[in-house]
Amino acid sequence: MDSLTQAALGAAIGEAVLGKKIGNKGAILGAIGGTIPDLDVLLTPFFSDFQNISIHRGYSHSILFCVLGAFLFAYILSKIKWASEVSYRKLWFFSFLALFTHVLLDAFTSFGTQLFLPFTDWRVSFDSISIIDPVYTVPLLLGVAGSIFLYNKTDAKRGLPNNIGLVVSALYLLFTLANKQHIEQVFNEQLEAQNIPSFRLLTVPVAIGNTAWYGVARDKTHLHIGKYSMLKGNKIEFNAFPINQQLLDGLDDELVYKMKWFAQGFYTVAEKDGKIRVYNM
């Protein structure tokens, strides 16, 4: 997700876990912790364009990083005077949640996250929510703001607005998963009605509110690409693109593997000006 959303989610986690103990500082720490995994972008100048394909959402977005990083973050916080009154166990729990909710939320977007590095580079990708979606973000922001500005840390009702924001955002996230199942049914029905063969389908939301979707269906030789709007209920017009798998024969195995991996199997290959180009669809 975008940086604002990740910071808002981290702030909501910080407020929920630490707000009644250290007040507004909990949300601030959460916002910081919630953006830490994305600091992997600072490493991109040290790698080639090809290597950078797998750097972002790589090790810093793995479960192992969340577990080990939580120990370091909690240790640093325990040395800060105003946070030292919080138990180390609670600081670790907060740190882990701030990191893990970031990588988990990214898994709901396209491209996914390499959650299980270093054991496998398999990308967990639910493809159910757009990279930027205010319908998810705004309840988090309103909830955190409500808890911070309406109540002091000793008020029994302080956590209520924040908790409501977290619940609303979480319910919307679950809705996107259910809605994706409906969308895939629509695409499959229209593919069948138009006699377009396919054995694999990828659907990705491309609009705010989960209302417009982009679909790519793959058969043995072609990709069939179309767009569907829930608001219009339109007939999907599919455009076919040849995969041209044979153009990859004889190329470097690692290069070919990484390009296929990045495109999650949905790619086309073309030759232009004597160069082989792989297009991530």
Side-chain angles (χ1 to χ4, degrees), residues 146-215:
S147 287
I148 288 177
F149 295 113
L150 298 179
Y151 304 96
N152 58 51
K153 70 178 184 179
T154 59
D155 197 310
K157 295 182 179 179
R158 177 183 172 99
L160 183 60
N162 185 62
N163 292 339
I164 292 175
L166 281 168
V167 169
V168 171
S169 290
L171 289 175
Y172 176 67
L173 207 55
L174 292 176
F175 159 76
T176 67
L177 290 176
N179 191 42
K180 181 180 175 70
Q181 299 305 309
H182 165 68
I183 293 298
E184 291 190 345
Q185 182 179 352
V186 171
F187 269 91
N188 281 319
E189 288 175 352
Q190 294 212 28
L191 284 166
E192 184 177 353
Q194 297 179 43
N195 296 314
I196 299 175
S198 67
F199 64 85
R200 191 178 173 199
L201 174 67
L202 171 70
T203 56
V204 180
V206 291
I208 293 171
N210 233 229
T211 56
W213 290 74
Y214 167 84

Side-chain angles (χ1 to χ4, degrees), residues 204-259:
V204 180
V206 291
I208 293 171
N210 233 229
T211 56
W213 290 74
Y214 167 84
V216 186
R218 174 174 175 161
D219 61 28
K220 292 183 179 180
T221 60
H222 287 76
L223 295 183
H224 306 272
I225 302 175
K227 191 173 181 181
Y228 176 73
S229 169
M230 294 179 63
L231 300 179
K232 298 178 181 178
N234 59 289
K235 177 182 178 181
I236 303 172
E237 296 183 6
F238 290 98
N239 296 302
F241 297 86
I243 297 173
N244 294 321
Q245 175 71 33
Q246 72 280 359
L247 292 177
L248 296 176
D249 295 341
L251 299 182
D252 180 81
D253 289 340
E254 182 183 358
L255 176 64
V256 171
Y257 165 78
K258 189 63 71 173
M259 295 303 294

Side-chain angles (χ1 to χ4, degrees), residues 30-243:
I32 294 172
T35 58
I36 286 177
D38 277 346
L39 294 181
D40 58 1
V41 297
L42 299 178
L43 299 176
T44 55
F46 302 100
F47 296 91
S48 66
D49 290 340
F50 172 64
Q51 292 171 320
N52 280 328
I53 288 177
S54 57
I55 294 299
H56 185 47
R57 295 193 181 185
Y59 281 96
S60 69
H61 285 66
S62 68
I63 295 175
L64 182 63
F65 174 84
C66 295
V67 173
L68 298 180
F71 282 107
L72 177 60
F73 197 26
Y75 174 77
I76 293 173
L77 293 178
S78 68
K79 299 303 177 182
I80 300 175
K81 184 177 180 179
W82 45 262
S84 60
E85 61 185 86
V86 183
S87 69
Y88 180 82
R89 179 180 297 182
K90 194 165 189 176
L91 288 175
W92 183 91
F93 179 65
F94 151 72
S95 301
F96 174 77
L97 281 182
L99 297 172
F100 183 66
T101 53
H102 175 119
V103 304
L104 186 61
L105 181 58
D106 274 348
F108 279 81
T109 67
S110 58
F111 298 111
T113 58
Q114 300 171 68
L115 283 177
F116 301 108
L117 282 175
F119 308 107
T120 175
D121 64 357
W122 176 54
R123 285 157 59 196
V124 179
S125 182
F126 303 132
D127 302 309
S128 70
I129 191 171
S130 300
I131 297 291
I132 299 176
D133 193 338
V135 179
Y136 177 82
T137 309
V138 170
L140 290 174
L141 292 172
L142 293 177
V144 173
S147 287
I148 288 177
F149 295 113
L150 298 179
Y151 304 96
N152 58 51
K153 70 178 184 179
T154 59
D155 197 310
K157 295 182 179 179
R158 177 183 172 99
L160 183 60
N162 185 62
N163 292 339
I164 292 175
L166 281 168
V167 169
V168 171
S169 290
L171 289 175
Y172 176 67
L173 207 55
L174 292 176
F175 159 76
T176 67
L177 290 176
N179 191 42
K180 181 180 175 70
Q181 299 305 309
H182 165 68
I183 293 298
E184 291 190 345
Q185 182 179 352
V186 171
F187 269 91
N188 281 319
E189 288 175 352
Q190 294 212 28
L191 284 166
E192 184 177 353
Q194 297 179 43
N195 296 314
I196 299 175
S198 67
F199 64 85
R200 191 178 173 199
L201 174 67
L202 171 70
T203 56
V204 180
V206 291
I208 293 171
N210 233 229
T211 56
W213 290 74
Y214 167 84
V216 186
R218 174 174 175 161
D219 61 28
K220 292 183 179 180
T221 60
H222 287 76
L223 295 183
H224 306 272
I225 302 175
K227 191 173 181 181
Y228 176 73
S229 169
M230 294 179 63
L231 300 179
K232 298 178 181 178
N234 59 289
K235 177 182 178 181
I236 303 172
E237 296 183 6
F238 290 98
N239 296 302
F241 297 86
I243 297 173

